[in-house]
Amino acid sequence: MEGKIYTATVSQLNRFIKQMLDGTSILNNIWVKGEISNFKRHYTGHCYLTLKDEGGVLKAVMFKANAARLAFAPENGMKVLARGRVSVYERDGSYQLYIEEMQPDGVGSLHIAYEQLKARLQEEGLFDETKKKPLPPYPNTIGVVTATTGAAIRDIINILSRRYPCAKVLIYPTLVQGEGASAGIAEAIEYFNAHKLADVLIVGRGGGSIEDLWAFNEERTARAIYASEIPVVSAVGHETDFTIADFVADLRAPTPSAAAELVVPSVAELREKILSMRSRVIMDALHTIRMKRSQIEKITLRSPAAKLADNRVLLDDMTKHLIRNTKLILDRKREEIKAAAGRLDAMSPLAVLGRGYSIAKSKDGTVIRQRGDAVSGTEFELILSDGSVGAKFL
C-alpha cells in the first residue's frame, strides 16, 4: 500500500522539523557531553562552537546573556557538559544546541577559572616579588576592608588593640561574599588610596568554601590590590589554599588574626626591647668611664722623667711639622717670585732693546718719540741693548 505523498517548500520543511524538535520535551532541556572545537567568541558577546566526540559533531551557540555567566573561559580541546535545547536554525536547515549553561567535565568551573586567571595575571607580572611593598614598622593608621559581621573583624580589632593600642583603626565595611562583593572590596581599597587614609591595609574575611571565597579570586579584586599605593595584607581565613588576592598582595596572612599580628609590633615586646637597650647603654657608659679613669690614673702616677720624655717627643714632632710646613711655604713663595720676575722682565724696556729695538734721547734726557720732536742738526743719544752712541738729525 503506497503512502501519501506530501509536497513542501524548503522553508516549510525546515519549519516543520523545527516544530517537531521544539515539541520534543527531552530535547528542550538536555545535557550534552563533548569536546569543544572551532570555538569563537563574537564581538557581540555570543559564543559559537562545535561539540564533538569520537563518533560525531554537533554545532552549538551560547548567546551573550548566558555566556556572561560563565565562570571559566571555554577553550578548544576542553571537555565540557553543556545544557540547553536542540532546535533548527531555519535559514540554514541545520540543527544545533542552544546552550544555556556549561561547565567543565570532571573539573569544577571555578577551579578552571581560578587557574586561567592566575596564569594570566602571573604572566602580566602582578605576582612579581620585586614589586612587593614593605610594611611600615610602626603604622599610625590601619585600614581594614571586610564585613562588619562575623568573627574576622572582632579578631582583628581585639588583636590590634591589645598589641598596639596607639594605632588608629579605620574599617570600611563591604560584602565579602556573593554578587557585588568583588566590586565592593575593590572600591574600598581605591577609597583608602584616593584619600590616603591608612599606612597599611588588611583585606580579608573568615574561612569558607571556594564559592564563599570567590570574591578574592576575581580579577577586579586582584587589580585593585596590585594598584594600591598603600601596602596590602591579604587575610582570607584558609591556611592551606591560596586565593588570587594572596598572590597579588604585598604580604599574605593565613588568617585575619595572623594579619593583625603581622601589621603592628607588640607594645610589650617594644617595652622589653627599650629596657634591654637602656641597660646596654648604661653598661657601655660605665665601661667607658672605667677606661677613662684608668687612663687618667696612669697619667697621674707617671714619673716626672717619663712626662719630660713625652714632652720632648711631642716637641720634636711639632718642630718637624713646623720645618716641613715652613719649607712648603718657602717653596711656594719662591715659585710665585720667579713667576712675577718673569712677568716684570717681559715688561722691561731692556727686554725690548734686546729684541733689536733702540731708544732716542735728546741732550736733556727727553725721549724722542717721533721725527717732529727734533729739527735738523739736533744732536741726540741712541741707546742700544749693550750701550749708546751719539747721533745727529739730518
Short mmCIF file of all heavy atoms in Angstrom, two decimals, residues 238-303:
data_model
loop_
_atom_site.label_atom_id
_atom_site.label_comp_id
_atom_site.label_asym_id
_atom_site.label_seq_id
_atom_site.Cartn_x
_atom_site.Cartn_y
_atom_site.Cartn_z
N HIS A 238 41.97 30.85 55.31
CA HIS A 238 42.20 29.49 54.81
C HIS A 238 43.70 29.27 54.80
O HIS A 238 44.41 29.92 54.04
CB HIS A 238 41.61 29.31 53.41
CG HIS A 238 42.12 30.32 52.42
ND1 HIS A 238 42.85 29.99 51.32
CD2 HIS A 238 42.04 31.67 52.41
CE1 HIS A 238 43.18 31.08 50.65
NE2 HIS A 238 42.69 32.11 51.30
N GLU A 239 44.18 28.42 55.65
CA GLU A 239 45.63 28.29 55.83
C GLU A 239 46.30 27.47 54.74
O GLU A 239 47.48 27.65 54.46
CB GLU A 239 45.91 27.68 57.20
CG GLU A 239 45.47 28.57 58.36
CD GLU A 239 46.00 28.09 59.68
OE1 GLU A 239 46.89 27.23 59.66
OE2 GLU A 239 45.53 28.56 60.72
N THR A 240 45.58 26.55 54.11
CA THR A 240 46.23 25.63 53.17
C THR A 240 46.14 26.10 51.73
O THR A 240 47.07 25.90 50.95
CB THR A 240 45.60 24.23 53.28
OG1 THR A 240 44.18 24.34 53.07
CG2 THR A 240 45.85 23.64 54.66
N ASP A 241 45.02 26.73 51.34
CA ASP A 241 44.84 27.15 49.95
C ASP A 241 45.13 28.63 49.80
O ASP A 241 45.03 29.41 50.74
CB ASP A 241 43.41 26.86 49.49
CG ASP A 241 43.10 25.38 49.54
OD1 ASP A 241 44.00 24.58 49.24
OD2 ASP A 241 41.96 25.02 49.89
N PHE A 242 45.49 29.01 48.57
CA PHE A 242 45.78 30.41 48.26
C PHE A 242 44.68 30.96 47.34
O PHE A 242 44.22 30.27 46.43
CB PHE A 242 47.13 30.55 47.54
CG PHE A 242 48.31 30.43 48.47
CD1 PHE A 242 48.70 29.21 48.98
CD2 PHE A 242 49.03 31.56 48.82
CE1 PHE A 242 49.79 29.10 49.82
CE2 PHE A 242 50.13 31.47 49.66
CZ PHE A 242 50.51 30.23 50.16
N THR A 243 44.30 32.21 47.57
CA THR A 243 43.44 32.92 46.62
C THR A 243 44.32 33.76 45.71
O THR A 243 45.51 33.96 45.97
CB THR A 243 42.44 33.84 47.36
OG1 THR A 243 43.18 34.84 48.06
CG2 THR A 243 41.57 33.06 48.33
N ILE A 244 43.73 34.27 44.64
CA ILE A 244 44.46 35.18 43.75
C ILE A 244 44.92 36.41 44.53
O ILE A 244 46.03 36.93 44.32
CB ILE A 244 43.57 35.59 42.57
CG1 ILE A 244 43.16 34.37 41.72
CG2 ILE A 244 44.28 36.62 41.69
CD1 ILE A 244 44.30 33.67 41.04
N ALA A 245 44.10 36.88 45.47
CA ALA A 245 44.46 38.03 46.28
C ALA A 245 45.75 37.79 47.06
O ALA A 245 46.55 38.70 47.26
CB ALA A 245 43.32 38.38 47.24
N ASP A 246 45.95 36.54 47.52
CA ASP A 246 47.17 36.21 48.26
C ASP A 246 48.42 36.42 47.40
O ASP A 246 49.45 36.89 47.88
CB ASP A 246 47.13 34.75 48.74
CG ASP A 246 46.07 34.53 49.80
OD1 ASP A 246 45.81 35.46 50.57
OD2 ASP A 246 45.50 33.42 49.85
N PHE A 247 48.33 36.04 46.14
CA PHE A 247 49.49 36.15 45.24
C PHE A 247 49.81 37.61 44.91
O PHE A 247 50.96 37.97 44.73
CB PHE A 247 49.24 35.37 43.95
CG PHE A 247 49.19 33.88 44.14
CD1 PHE A 247 48.00 33.20 44.02
CD2 PHE A 247 50.32 33.16 44.44
CE1 PHE A 247 47.94 31.82 44.18
CE2 PHE A 247 50.29 31.79 44.62
CZ PHE A 247 49.09 31.11 44.49
N VAL A 248 48.76 38.46 44.81
CA VAL A 248 48.97 39.85 44.40
C VAL A 248 49.37 40.74 45.58
O VAL A 248 50.13 41.69 45.41
CB VAL A 248 47.69 40.40 43.74
CG1 VAL A 248 47.90 41.83 43.25
CG2 VAL A 248 47.28 39.52 42.56
N ALA A 249 48.87 40.41 46.78
CA ALA A 249 49.10 41.26 47.95
C ALA A 249 50.58 41.36 48.28
O ALA A 249 51.39 40.52 47.90
CB ALA A 249 48.33 40.70 49.14
N ASP A 250 50.93 42.41 49.02
CA ASP A 250 52.32 42.60 49.43
C ASP A 250 52.74 41.58 50.48
O ASP A 250 53.92 41.24 50.59
CB ASP A 250 52.50 44.02 49.98
CG ASP A 250 52.21 45.07 48.91
OD1 ASP A 250 52.97 45.14 47.93
OD2 ASP A 250 51.21 45.80 49.04
N LEU A 251 51.76 41.09 51.24
CA LEU A 251 52.04 40.06 52.23
C LEU A 251 50.79 39.23 52.42
O LEU A 251 49.68 39.76 52.46
CB LEU A 251 52.47 40.68 53.56
CG LEU A 251 52.88 39.70 54.67
CD1 LEU A 251 54.16 38.95 54.28
CD2 LEU A 251 53.08 40.43 55.99
N ARG A 252 50.96 37.92 52.52
CA ARG A 252 49.83 37.02 52.73
C ARG A 252 49.82 36.53 54.17
O ARG A 252 50.83 36.06 54.69
CB ARG A 252 49.94 35.83 51.79
CG ARG A 252 48.76 34.86 51.90
CD ARG A 252 49.19 33.51 52.40
NE ARG A 252 48.08 32.56 52.42
CZ ARG A 252 48.15 31.36 52.96
NH1 ARG A 252 49.28 30.94 53.51
NH2 ARG A 252 47.09 30.57 52.97
N ALA A 253 48.66 36.65 54.84
CA ALA A 253 48.47 36.11 56.19
C ALA A 253 47.49 34.95 56.09
O ALA A 253 46.50 35.04 55.36
CB ALA A 253 47.94 37.18 57.13
N PRO A 254 47.72 33.87 56.82
CA PRO A 254 46.82 32.71 56.71
C PRO A 254 45.43 32.95 57.27
O PRO A 254 44.48 32.29 56.86
CB PRO A 254 47.56 31.62 57.48
CG PRO A 254 48.46 32.35 58.42
CD PRO A 254 48.86 33.60 57.71
N THR A 255 45.31 33.90 58.21
CA THR A 255 44.02 34.21 58.82
C THR A 255 43.95 35.69 59.12
O THR A 255 44.98 36.37 59.19
CB THR A 255 43.83 33.43 60.15
OG1 THR A 255 44.83 33.86 61.06
CG2 THR A 255 43.93 31.93 59.94
N PRO A 256 42.75 36.24 59.36
CA PRO A 256 42.65 37.64 59.77
C PRO A 256 43.40 37.93 61.06
O PRO A 256 44.01 39.00 61.21
CB PRO A 256 41.13 37.84 59.93
CG PRO A 256 40.52 36.85 59.00
CD PRO A 256 41.42 35.65 59.06
N SER A 257 43.36 37.00 62.02
CA SER A 257 44.08 37.20 63.28
C SER A 257 45.58 37.32 63.03
O SER A 257 46.26 38.18 63.62
CB SER A 257 43.81 36.03 64.23
OG SER A 257 42.43 35.97 64.54
N ALA A 258 46.11 36.45 62.18
CA ALA A 258 47.53 36.50 61.85
C ALA A 258 47.89 37.81 61.17
O ALA A 258 48.97 38.37 61.40
CB ALA A 258 47.91 35.32 60.97
N ALA A 259 46.99 38.32 60.34
CA ALA A 259 47.25 39.60 59.66
C ALA A 259 47.39 40.73 60.67
O ALA A 259 48.27 41.59 60.56
CB ALA A 259 46.12 39.91 58.68
N ALA A 260 46.51 40.74 61.69
CA ALA A 260 46.58 41.78 62.72
C ALA A 260 47.91 41.72 63.46
O ALA A 260 48.47 42.77 63.83
CB ALA A 260 45.42 41.61 63.69
N GLU A 261 48.44 40.54 63.68
CA GLU A 261 49.72 40.41 64.38
C GLU A 261 50.89 40.83 63.49
O GLU A 261 51.92 41.30 63.98
CB GLU A 261 49.91 38.97 64.85
CG GLU A 261 48.88 38.55 65.88
CD GLU A 261 49.31 37.33 66.66
OE1 GLU A 261 50.47 36.92 66.49
OE2 GLU A 261 48.50 36.82 67.43
N LEU A 262 50.73 40.67 62.17
CA LEU A 262 51.82 40.99 61.25
C LEU A 262 51.96 42.49 60.99
O LEU A 262 53.06 42.97 60.72
CB LEU A 262 51.62 40.26 59.92
CG LEU A 262 51.85 38.74 59.94
CD1 LEU A 262 51.36 38.12 58.64
CD2 LEU A 262 53.31 38.43 60.16
N VAL A 263 50.86 43.24 61.06
CA VAL A 263 50.92 44.65 60.63
C VAL A 263 51.37 45.59 61.74
O VAL A 263 51.72 46.75 61.46
CB VAL A 263 49.56 45.12 60.08
CG1 VAL A 263 49.17 44.34 58.85
CG2 VAL A 263 48.48 45.06 61.14
N VAL A 264 51.35 45.13 63.00
CA VAL A 264 51.78 46.02 64.09
C VAL A 264 52.75 45.30 65.02
O VAL A 264 52.69 44.08 65.16
CB VAL A 264 50.56 46.52 64.92
CG1 VAL A 264 49.66 47.39 64.09
CG2 VAL A 264 49.79 45.35 65.53
N PRO A 265 53.65 46.04 65.64
CA PRO A 265 54.52 45.43 66.65
C PRO A 265 53.76 45.25 67.96
O PRO A 265 52.68 45.80 68.15
CB PRO A 265 55.65 46.45 66.79
CG PRO A 265 54.99 47.76 66.50
CD PRO A 265 53.94 47.47 65.45
N SER A 266 54.34 44.51 68.87
CA SER A 266 53.76 44.31 70.20
C SER A 266 54.31 45.37 71.14
O SER A 266 55.53 45.55 71.25
CB SER A 266 54.08 42.92 70.73
OG SER A 266 53.78 42.82 72.10
N VAL A 267 53.43 46.09 71.83
CA VAL A 267 53.87 47.11 72.78
C VAL A 267 54.71 46.47 73.88
O VAL A 267 55.72 47.03 74.31
CB VAL A 267 52.65 47.84 73.37
CG1 VAL A 267 53.07 48.71 74.55
CG2 VAL A 267 51.99 48.71 72.32
N ALA A 268 54.29 45.29 74.33
CA ALA A 268 55.04 44.60 75.39
C ALA A 268 56.45 44.26 74.92
O ALA A 268 57.43 44.44 75.65
CB ALA A 268 54.30 43.34 75.81
N GLU A 269 56.56 43.77 73.68
CA GLU A 269 57.87 43.44 73.14
C GLU A 269 58.72 44.70 72.95
O GLU A 269 59.93 44.68 73.19
CB GLU A 269 57.71 42.70 71.81
CG GLU A 269 57.09 41.31 71.96
CD GLU A 269 56.80 40.67 70.61
OE1 GLU A 269 57.12 41.29 69.58
OE2 GLU A 269 56.25 39.56 70.59
N LEU A 270 58.09 45.80 72.52
CA LEU A 270 58.83 47.06 72.36
C LEU A 270 59.35 47.55 73.71
O LEU A 270 60.47 48.07 73.81
CB LEU A 270 57.92 48.12 71.73
CG LEU A 270 57.60 47.96 70.24
CD1 LEU A 270 56.60 49.03 69.81
CD2 LEU A 270 58.87 48.07 69.41
N ARG A 271 58.50 47.41 74.76
CA ARG A 271 58.93 47.84 76.09
C ARG A 271 60.16 47.05 76.55
O ARG A 271 61.13 47.61 77.07
CB ARG A 271 57.78 47.67 77.07
CG ARG A 271 58.06 48.24 78.47
CD ARG A 271 56.87 48.08 79.38
NE ARG A 271 55.75 48.89 78.92
CZ ARG A 271 54.61 48.38 78.44
NH1 ARG A 271 54.46 47.07 78.32
NH2 ARG A 271 53.64 49.16 78.06
N GLU A 272 60.11 45.73 76.33
CA GLU A 272 61.26 44.89 76.70
C GLU A 272 62.50 45.26 75.89
O GLU A 272 63.61 45.29 76.42
CB GLU A 272 60.91 43.42 76.49
CG GLU A 272 59.86 42.87 77.46
CD GLU A 272 59.55 41.41 77.19
OE1 GLU A 272 60.22 40.83 76.30
OE2 GLU A 272 58.67 40.87 77.86
N LYS A 273 62.30 45.56 74.64
CA LYS A 273 63.42 45.93 73.79
C LYS A 273 64.05 47.25 74.25
O LYS A 273 65.27 47.39 74.29
CB LYS A 273 62.93 46.06 72.34
CG LYS A 273 64.04 46.31 71.33
CD LYS A 273 63.47 46.32 69.92
CE LYS A 273 64.57 46.57 68.90
NZ LYS A 273 64.04 46.58 67.51
N ILE A 274 63.19 48.21 74.62
CA ILE A 274 63.70 49.51 75.08
C ILE A 274 64.46 49.35 76.39
O ILE A 274 65.54 49.94 76.58
CB ILE A 274 62.53 50.50 75.24
CG1 ILE A 274 61.96 50.87 73.86
CG2 ILE A 274 62.99 51.76 75.97
CD1 ILE A 274 60.68 51.65 73.92
N LEU A 275 63.92 48.54 77.30
CA LEU A 275 64.60 48.31 78.57
C LEU A 275 65.96 47.64 78.35
O LEU A 275 66.95 47.95 79.01
CB LEU A 275 63.72 47.45 79.49
CG LEU A 275 62.47 48.14 80.05
CD1 LEU A 275 61.63 47.14 80.82
CD2 LEU A 275 62.85 49.32 80.93
N SER A 276 65.98 46.67 77.41
CA SER A 276 67.23 45.99 77.10
C SER A 276 68.26 46.97 76.52
O SER A 276 69.44 46.94 76.88
CB SER A 276 66.97 44.85 76.11
OG SER A 276 68.16 44.24 75.71
N MET A 277 67.81 47.85 75.62
CA MET A 277 68.70 48.85 75.03
C MET A 277 69.19 49.82 76.10
O MET A 277 70.37 50.22 76.10
CB MET A 277 67.98 49.61 73.91
CG MET A 277 67.67 48.77 72.69
SD MET A 277 66.65 49.65 71.48
CE MET A 277 67.76 50.98 71.03
N ARG A 278 68.30 50.19 77.04
CA ARG A 278 68.68 51.10 78.12
C ARG A 278 69.78 50.47 78.98
O ARG A 278 70.78 51.13 79.32
CB ARG A 278 67.46 51.42 78.97
CG ARG A 278 67.73 52.32 80.16
CD ARG A 278 66.42 52.67 80.86
NE ARG A 278 66.65 53.44 82.07
CZ ARG A 278 66.86 52.90 83.27
NH1 ARG A 278 66.87 51.57 83.40
NH2 ARG A 278 67.05 53.67 84.33
N SER A 279 69.61 49.19 79.30
CA SER A 279 70.63 48.51 80.10
C SER A 279 71.95 48.43 79.36
O SER A 279 73.03 48.63 79.96
CB SER A 279 70.14 47.09 80.44
OG SER A 279 68.96 47.13 81.21
N ARG A 280 71.89 48.19 78.05
CA ARG A 280 73.11 48.09 77.25
C ARG A 280 73.83 49.44 77.19
O ARG A 280 75.06 49.51 77.27
CB ARG A 280 72.77 47.60 75.85
CG ARG A 280 73.97 47.12 75.06
CD ARG A 280 73.59 46.19 73.94
NE ARG A 280 72.58 46.74 73.07
CZ ARG A 280 71.35 46.24 72.95
NH1 ARG A 280 70.99 45.21 73.70
NH2 ARG A 280 70.47 46.77 72.13
N VAL A 281 73.07 50.53 77.05
CA VAL A 281 73.67 51.86 77.01
C VAL A 281 74.34 52.19 78.34
O VAL A 281 75.46 52.74 78.37
CB VAL A 281 72.59 52.92 76.68
CG1 VAL A 281 73.14 54.33 76.89
CG2 VAL A 281 72.11 52.76 75.23
N ILE A 282 73.69 51.85 79.45
CA ILE A 282 74.27 52.10 80.77
C ILE A 282 75.57 51.32 80.95
O ILE A 282 76.58 51.85 81.44
CB ILE A 282 73.25 51.76 81.87
CG1 ILE A 282 72.07 52.74 81.83
CG2 ILE A 282 73.92 51.78 83.25
CD1 ILE A 282 70.94 52.38 82.76
N MET A 283 75.54 50.05 80.56
CA MET A 283 76.75 49.22 80.69
C MET A 283 77.89 49.78 79.84
O MET A 283 79.05 49.83 80.29
CB MET A 283 76.43 47.79 80.28
CG MET A 283 75.46 47.07 81.20
SD MET A 283 76.11 46.90 82.88
CE MET A 283 77.45 45.76 82.58
N ASP A 284 77.56 50.22 78.61
CA ASP A 284 78.60 50.80 77.75
C ASP A 284 79.17 52.08 78.36
O ASP A 284 80.39 52.33 78.31
CB ASP A 284 78.03 51.10 76.36
CG ASP A 284 77.73 49.84 75.57
OD1 ASP A 284 78.25 48.77 75.96
OD2 ASP A 284 76.98 49.92 74.58
N ALA A 285 78.30 52.90 78.95
CA ALA A 285 78.75 54.14 79.56
C ALA A 285 79.66 53.87 80.76
O ALA A 285 80.71 54.51 80.92
CB ALA A 285 77.55 54.98 79.99
N LEU A 286 79.28 52.90 81.59
CA LEU A 286 80.10 52.54 82.75
C LEU A 286 81.47 52.01 82.32
O LEU A 286 82.50 52.33 82.92
CB LEU A 286 79.38 51.51 83.61
CG LEU A 286 78.13 52.02 84.37
CD1 LEU A 286 77.43 50.86 85.07
CD2 LEU A 286 78.52 53.09 85.38
N HIS A 287 81.46 51.22 81.25
CA HIS A 287 82.72 50.68 80.73
C HIS A 287 83.62 51.81 80.24
O HIS A 287 84.85 51.82 80.50
CB HIS A 287 82.43 49.69 79.61
CG HIS A 287 83.66 49.13 78.97
ND1 HIS A 287 84.51 48.26 79.61
CD2 HIS A 287 84.19 49.34 77.72
CE1 HIS A 287 85.51 47.94 78.81
NE2 HIS A 287 85.33 48.58 77.65
N THR A 288 83.06 52.78 79.55
CA THR A 288 83.84 53.91 79.05
C THR A 288 84.41 54.73 80.20
O THR A 288 85.58 55.16 80.17
CB THR A 288 82.96 54.81 78.16
OG1 THR A 288 82.44 54.03 77.07
CG2 THR A 288 83.76 55.98 77.60
N ILE A 289 83.58 54.94 81.24
CA ILE A 289 84.04 55.71 82.41
C ILE A 289 85.21 55.00 83.08
O ILE A 289 86.22 55.64 83.46
CB ILE A 289 82.88 55.92 83.40
CG1 ILE A 289 81.84 56.89 82.78
CG2 ILE A 289 83.39 56.45 84.73
CD1 ILE A 289 80.56 56.99 83.57
N ARG A 290 85.10 53.69 83.22
CA ARG A 290 86.19 52.93 83.86
C ARG A 290 87.48 53.04 83.04
O ARG A 290 88.58 53.18 83.58
CB ARG A 290 85.78 51.47 84.03
CG ARG A 290 84.81 51.23 85.18
CD ARG A 290 84.72 49.75 85.52
NE ARG A 290 84.13 49.00 84.41
CZ ARG A 290 82.84 48.74 84.30
NH1 ARG A 290 81.98 49.18 85.22
NH2 ARG A 290 82.38 48.05 83.28
N MET A 291 87.37 52.96 81.72
CA MET A 291 88.55 53.06 80.86
C MET A 291 89.21 54.43 80.97
O MET A 291 90.43 54.55 81.10
CB MET A 291 88.17 52.78 79.40
CG MET A 291 87.86 51.32 79.11
SD MET A 291 87.48 51.06 77.36
CE MET A 291 88.99 51.60 76.59
N LYS A 292 88.40 55.49 80.94
CA LYS A 292 88.95 56.84 81.02
C LYS A 292 89.60 57.08 82.39
O LYS A 292 90.66 57.72 82.50
CB LYS A 292 87.84 57.87 80.77
CG LYS A 292 87.26 57.84 79.37
CD LYS A 292 88.34 58.14 78.34
CE LYS A 292 87.75 58.15 76.92
NZ LYS A 292 88.80 58.36 75.90
N ARG A 293 88.95 56.56 83.43
CA ARG A 293 89.51 56.71 84.77
C ARG A 293 90.87 56.03 84.87
O ARG A 293 91.82 56.56 85.46
CB ARG A 293 88.53 56.14 85.78
CG ARG A 293 89.00 56.26 87.24
CD ARG A 293 87.95 55.72 88.17
NE ARG A 293 86.76 56.55 88.10
CZ ARG A 293 85.54 56.08 88.37
NH1 ARG A 293 85.36 54.81 88.67
NH2 ARG A 293 84.50 56.89 88.34
N SER A 294 90.96 54.86 84.27
CA SER A 294 92.22 54.13 84.29
C SER A 294 93.31 54.89 83.56
O SER A 294 94.46 54.97 84.01
CB SER A 294 92.03 52.75 83.67
OG SER A 294 93.23 52.05 83.58
N GLN A 295 92.94 55.49 82.40
CA GLN A 295 93.92 56.27 81.64
C GLN A 295 94.40 57.48 82.43
O GLN A 295 95.59 57.82 82.44
CB GLN A 295 93.29 56.71 80.31
CG GLN A 295 93.04 55.57 79.35
CD GLN A 295 92.29 56.03 78.11
OE1 GLN A 295 91.94 57.19 77.98
NE2 GLN A 295 92.06 55.09 77.20
N ILE A 296 93.47 58.14 83.13
CA ILE A 296 93.83 59.32 83.92
C ILE A 296 94.77 58.93 85.06
O ILE A 296 95.75 59.63 85.36
CB ILE A 296 92.56 60.00 84.46
CG1 ILE A 296 91.76 60.63 83.32
CG2 ILE A 296 92.91 61.06 85.51
CD1 ILE A 296 90.40 61.12 83.71
N GLU A 297 94.45 57.81 85.71
CA GLU A 297 95.30 57.34 86.81
C GLU A 297 96.71 57.03 86.33
O GLU A 297 97.70 57.34 87.00
CB GLU A 297 94.67 56.13 87.47
CG GLU A 297 93.40 56.45 88.26
CD GLU A 297 92.74 55.20 88.79
OE1 GLU A 297 93.18 54.09 88.41
OE2 GLU A 297 91.78 55.32 89.58
N LYS A 298 96.83 56.44 85.17
CA LYS A 298 98.15 56.11 84.61
C LYS A 298 98.95 57.38 84.34
O LYS A 298 100.15 57.47 84.62
CB LYS A 298 98.01 55.30 83.33
CG LYS A 298 97.54 53.86 83.56
CD LYS A 298 97.43 53.13 82.24
CE LYS A 298 96.96 51.69 82.45
NZ LYS A 298 96.80 50.98 81.16
N ILE A 299 98.29 58.39 83.82
CA ILE A 299 98.99 59.65 83.52
C ILE A 299 99.43 60.34 84.81
O ILE A 299 100.54 60.86 84.94
CB ILE A 299 98.08 60.57 82.69
CG1 ILE A 299 97.84 59.97 81.30
CG2 ILE A 299 98.68 61.97 82.57
CD1 ILE A 299 96.80 60.70 80.49
N THR A 300 98.54 60.33 85.81
CA THR A 300 98.83 61.00 87.09
C THR A 300 99.99 60.36 87.82
O THR A 300 100.82 61.03 88.44
CB THR A 300 97.58 60.98 87.97
OG1 THR A 300 96.49 61.56 87.26
CG2 THR A 300 97.81 61.76 89.27
N LEU A 301 100.09 59.04 87.76
CA LEU A 301 101.10 58.31 88.52
C LEU A 301 102.45 58.22 87.82
O LEU A 301 103.41 57.70 88.39
CB LEU A 301 100.58 56.89 88.82
CG LEU A 301 99.33 56.82 89.73
CD1 LEU A 301 98.85 55.39 89.84
CD2 LEU A 301 99.65 57.40 91.11
N ARG A 302 102.58 58.71 86.64
CA ARG A 302 103.84 58.59 85.91
C ARG A 302 104.88 59.53 86.51
O ARG A 302 104.58 60.60 87.03
CB ARG A 302 103.65 58.91 84.43
CG ARG A 302 102.74 57.90 83.73
CD ARG A 302 102.59 58.24 82.28
NE ARG A 302 103.84 58.03 81.58
CZ ARG A 302 104.08 58.50 80.36
NH1 ARG A 302 103.19 59.23 79.74
NH2 ARG A 302 105.23 58.25 79.77
N SER A 303 106.18 59.16 86.40
CA SER A 303 107.29 59.94 86.95
C SER A 303 107.52 61.20 86.13
O SER A 303 107.20 61.25 84.94
CB SER A 303 108.57 59.10 86.97
OG SER A 303 108.97 58.82 85.64
#
